[in-house]
């Protein structure tokens, strides 16, 4: 419990140190930015640590992290000292800060309690996440090295891991504990942020009289963002209990769920074992909830709740508070009064610097977010300037304000930009069947319905004059992407194939998205023209639907392009859409209900949206009991506690390396490929290394190894022949250490990679059965317990046993 309290306290201290800067940047929000103080403080402190470590102006480790936080406090004090409204702003924001800290505390400890039933860091991509967390914690220099590719710099957007490292180091908890507490921080900071923004939107829509309703809007936005999940859970529950009407299941696109009642009918089923889908009131089939994110063929469609249920500390998850922070910045910017142009930067350079840090953080945190949410901020600037100038002038002045921020952001994050290699190879027209409307309903029904409600919010009293022009203008938003898709496919010679491949369901999905986009865009245009507060909610909802619509027409070509071309595109863009629609639609739904007595007709939109949200709560209810085995499992918060209990020798080996080797040490360990003796010599019988124990020492300690997860390195650095050749060479060299039996080969490989240590543990014994030589004849034994041994180059002679 001491670790949990220390981490929680560290998060609040960082937020308190960052809040003065937020009060200057975000004073236009009702709580003066208090709701996003947590991500704001952490982003600024983490950036300070990063850039000062790059410049070698801070020491590595805990002292450096504490120094960065202290500098954040000084910067906040200086910002407040230069702001003539500081006292008034602080007085207004302190109550909001107390509320935000209260929401954060309840959500943080609630998630810690939930995660304690499944704290183990293993399976899926959690070892990768732990590896990058340790990479930032143990880096002797910045940018940090890639522990799974010895000798190379990290080539990934790792800012989220750096932020987790700040709180982990400052609180003094082990990385394996900090991993789980970072998930709790992300969940809780997201709750505080969207609750604050949902309150702000509804308060602006309803005015001072609607404070109670605005509070409800904030709570509703929290529910839609963090708790609603796939509607497929309803069908999972009925199927688990044998109540299957195949006609109804087929109508709702859930026929694959029904098919899982028969063993091995389809790859969609996780286990496909008959008569074992439940032994309780909830589905007890192992991880039934996992397949509900793959219900759209060849895609991934996560909801935030699924992400926190699964427990991967991925960039798209840790970016949620940062995205909400930038949305808060966009709202505060939009609510401002003066024109924003280039001259503002000369008058307020520190203000511009802070904004550039926040915008640049989008790319460093999760590169997929930078275009979408920089666009949101740019639209906010343009909408603000449009109130003071005609469109062309507003556009020119907006570019003059935003462009320098973009240039500054690139310069501020240049040390990362220079080491980052993107796998993206450009945008392509999607040529395929498209998504069925039923699957849209199952996966996105609650958030799309909430978004459509935004078209009815705050439209009361709008002038009908110009409505036709507004309707025609709004129509361009759904029409232009479609025309662009047709033109792009025609230029590539794929138009005929694209038209013929798309099914009737795929075409209907385009129509549904296009109509929803037009309706919400029309409301946004009319409210912007009338300067109505509901415009912000409608714009967020429109952009969310545009992302879903666009992912039906285009995809980003990447390493998955051959087998599942739009896998990453649907995955990342639908996640962004979830955040936008949860905020805009979630707040608008409550605002509409608040006005029901004056406009009962709007309940025809809000009612179905609320019903879908309630149905979406079936997913967290059923999945939570499944994931925790009805909350009966043993509880702990250390992600390696399970290793300590099940394999003490392996845990002791990891601890010895962490405590007795330099942070920049290179360790030889198994590649993940499985070998077998044969008449013609050893042969590979299993070539897979990803999602295995490969690189487990490196992941758990932050020490480098020559090669970790092969395909992940391809994803991070590019799918080209040179990379494949180099990573295959590394695998072959490391495997030769364990199977060649030649001391010269072993020493040559270790010297090539600068490796001083070689591990023989349970994984090596299982991957190279009967093939391991007696390393003690030419290497020193540095540590040994039972069958677990760490060898060291022969210039050392110390032997430690336990």
């Amino acid at each position: 419990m001491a670790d949990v309290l220390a981490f929680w306290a560290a998060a609040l201290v960082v937020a308190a140190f960052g809040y003065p800067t937020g009060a200057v940047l975000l004073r236009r929000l009702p709580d003066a930015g208090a709701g996003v103080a947590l991500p704001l403080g952490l982003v600024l402190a983490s950036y300070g640590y990063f850039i000062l470590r790059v410049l070698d102006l801070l020491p590595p480790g805990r002292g450096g992290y504490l120094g960065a936080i202290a500098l954040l406090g000084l910067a906040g004090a200086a910002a407040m000292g230069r702001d003539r409204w500081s006292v008034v702003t602080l007085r207004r924001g302190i109550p909001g800060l107390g509320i935000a800290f209260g929401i954060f505390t309840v959500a943080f400890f609630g998630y810690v309690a939930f995660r304690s039933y499944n704290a183990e860091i293993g399976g899926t991509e959690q070892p990768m996440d732990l590896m990058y967390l340790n990479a930032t914690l143990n880096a002797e220099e910045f940018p940090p090295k890639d522990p799974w590719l010895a000798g190379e710099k990290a080539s990934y957007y790792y800012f989220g891991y750096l932020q987790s490292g700040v709180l982990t180091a400052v609180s003094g908890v082990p990385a394996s504990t900090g991993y789980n507490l970072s998930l709790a921080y992300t969940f809780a900071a997201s709750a505080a942020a969207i609750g604050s923004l949902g309150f702000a939107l509804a308060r602006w829509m309803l005015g001072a009289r609607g404070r109670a309703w605005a509070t409800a809007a904030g709570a509703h936005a929290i529910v839609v963002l963090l708790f609603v999940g796939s509607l497929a859970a309803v069908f999972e529950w009925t199927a688990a209990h044998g109540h299957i009407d195949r006609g109804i299941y087929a109508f709702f696109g859930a026929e694959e769920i029904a098919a899982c009642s028969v063993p091995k009918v389809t790859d969609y089923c996780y286990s496909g074992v008959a008569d074992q889908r439940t032994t309780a009131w909830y589905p007890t089939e192992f991880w039934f909830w996992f397949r509900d994110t793959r219900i759209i063929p060849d895609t991934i469609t996560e909801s935030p709740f699924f992400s926190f249920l699964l427990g991967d500390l991925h960039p798209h998850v840790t970016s949620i508070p940062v995205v909400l922070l930038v949305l808060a910045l966009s709202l505060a910017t939009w609510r401002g009064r003066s024109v924003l142009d280039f001259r503002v930067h000369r008058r307020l350079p520190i203000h511009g610097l802070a904004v550039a840090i926040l915008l640049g953080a989008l790319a460093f945190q999760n590169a997929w977010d930078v275009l979408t949410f920089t666009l949101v901020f740019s639209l906010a600037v343009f909408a603000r300037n449009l109130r003071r100038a005609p469109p062309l002038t507003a556009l020119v002045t907006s570019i003059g304000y935003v462009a320098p921020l973009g240039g500054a952001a690139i310069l501020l994050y240049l040390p990362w930009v220079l080491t980052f290699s993107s796998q993206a190879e450009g945008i392509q027209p999607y040529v395929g069947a498209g998504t069925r409307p039923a699957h849209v309903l199952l996966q996105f029904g609650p958030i799309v319905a909430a978004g459509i409600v935004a078209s009815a919010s705050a439209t009361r009293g709008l002038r009908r004059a110009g409505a036709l022009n507004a309707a025609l203008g709004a129509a361009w938003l759904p029409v232009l992407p479609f025309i662009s898709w047709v033109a792009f496919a025609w230029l590539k010679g794929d138009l005929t194939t694209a038209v013929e491949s798309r099914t009737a369901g795929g075409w209907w999905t385009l129509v549904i998205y296009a109509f929803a986009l037009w309706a919400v865009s029309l409301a946004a245009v009319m409210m912007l023209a009338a300067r109505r507060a509901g415009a912000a909610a409608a714009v967020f909802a429109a952009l969310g639907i545009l992302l879903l619509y666009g992912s039906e027409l285009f995809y980003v070509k990447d390493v998955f392009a051959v087998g599942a071309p739009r896998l990453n595109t649907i995955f990342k863009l639908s996640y962004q859409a979830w955040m936008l629609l949860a905020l805009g639609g979630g707040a608008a739904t409550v605002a509409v209900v608040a006005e029901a007595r004056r406009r009962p007709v709007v309940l025809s939109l809000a009612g179905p949206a609320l019903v879908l949200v309630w149905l979406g709560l079936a997913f967290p209810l059923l999945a939570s009991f499944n994931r925790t085995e009805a909350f009966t499992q043993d509880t702990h918060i250390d992600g390696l506690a399970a290793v300590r209990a099940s394999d003490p020798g392996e845990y002791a080996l990891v601890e010895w390396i962490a405590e007795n080797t330099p942070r920049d040490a290179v360790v030889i360990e198994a590649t993940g490929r499985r070998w077998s003796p044969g008449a013609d010599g050893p042969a590979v019988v299993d070539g897979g290394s990803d999602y295995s124990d490969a690189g487990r020492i490196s992941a758990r300690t932050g020490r480098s190894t020559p090669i970790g997860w092969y395909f992940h390195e391809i994803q991070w650095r590019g799918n080209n022949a040179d990379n494949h050749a180099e990573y295959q060479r590394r695998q072959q060299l490391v495997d030769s250490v364990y199977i060649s039996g030649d001391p010269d080969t072993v020493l040559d490989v270790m010297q090539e990679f600068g490796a001083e240590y070689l591990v023989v543990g349970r994984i090596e014994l299982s991957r190279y059965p009967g093939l391991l030589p007696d390393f003690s004849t030419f290497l020193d034994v540095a540590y040994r317990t039972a069958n677990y041994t760490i060898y060291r180059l022969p210039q050392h002679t110390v032997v430690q046993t336990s």
Side-chain angles (χ1 to χ4, degrees), residues 709-784:
W709 286 7
Y710 178 103
F711 187 65
H712 278 68
E713 291 292 346
I714 291 295
Q715 292 181 57
W716 300 332
R717 300 176 184 276
N719 186 19
N720 58 65
D722 289 344
N723 283 345
H724 281 286
E726 171 60 15
Y727 306 156
Q728 289 169 8
R729 185 185 77 88
R730 289 183 177 231
Q731 283 188 324
Q732 198 65 32
L733 286 175
V734 172
D735 285 338
S736 72
V737 167
Y738 291 103
I739 67 174
S740 68
D742 178 21
D744 290 338
T745 297
V746 174
L747 294 173
D748 287 345
V749 172
M750 294 182 72
Q751 289 170 2
E752 175 175 343
F753 293 111
E756 190 175 322
Y757 303 90
L758 185 151
V759 171
V760 174
R762 177 178 58 84
I763 304 304
E764 286 70 30
L765 291 169
S766 65
R767 295 295 188 271
Y768 311 102
L771 297 171
L772 298 178
D774 183 0
F775 291 108
S776 64
T777 61
F778 55 93
L779 295 176
D780 291 339
V781 176
Y783 172 84
R784 172 172 288 162

Side-chain angles (χ1 to χ4, degrees), residues 521-586:
S521 301
L522 172 60
V525 169
M526 294 180 68
M527 284 188 280
L528 282 170
R531 300 187 180 183
R532 296 288 292 271
V539 168
F540 288 159
L543 289 174
I545 295 173
L546 177 61
L547 290 172
L548 297 174
Y549 178 54
S551 63
E552 291 294 316
L553 298 171
F554 303 97
Y555 70 94
V556 176
K557 185 178 180 182
D558 56 20
V559 70
F560 301 104
V562 175
R566 61 178 187 153
L567 183 148
N568 249 343
T569 303
I570 292 279
F571 178 21
K572 299 298 174 62
L573 295 191
S574 66
Y575 212 77
Q576 295 174 359
W578 199 289
M579 289 183 274
L580 288 165
L581 289 164
L583 176 55

Side-chain angles (χ1 to χ4, degrees), residues 440-518:
V440 172
L441 174 65
L442 290 182
Q443 299 305 96
F444 310 124
I447 57 170
V448 171
I452 293 174
V453 170
S455 66
S457 65
T459 57
R460 179 172 53 85
L462 288 179
R463 295 175 58 188
R464 298 293 182 263
L468 178 59
N469 289 336
L472 294 175
W476 281 105
L477 198 57
V479 169
L480 275 178
F482 182 78
I483 293 175
S484 300
W485 174 74
V486 171
F488 200 172
W490 177 73
L491 288 172
K492 288 182 61 64
D494 293 334
L495 182 58
T496 301
T497 303
V499 171
E500 293 177 350
S501 298
R502 194 172 293 267
T503 62
W507 287 111
W508 272 112
T509 293
L510 287 180
V511 172
I512 293 168
Y513 278 150
F515 180 78
L517 179 58
W518 171 79

Side-chain angles (χ1 to χ4, degrees), residues 619-638:
F619 184 87
L621 176 64
L622 300 176
S624 294
F625 274 82
N626 178 278
R627 181 78 161 120
T628 63
E629 296 182 12
F631 299 94
T632 60
Q633 298 173 337
D634 294 336
T635 59
H636 51 79
I637 203 62
D638 182 355

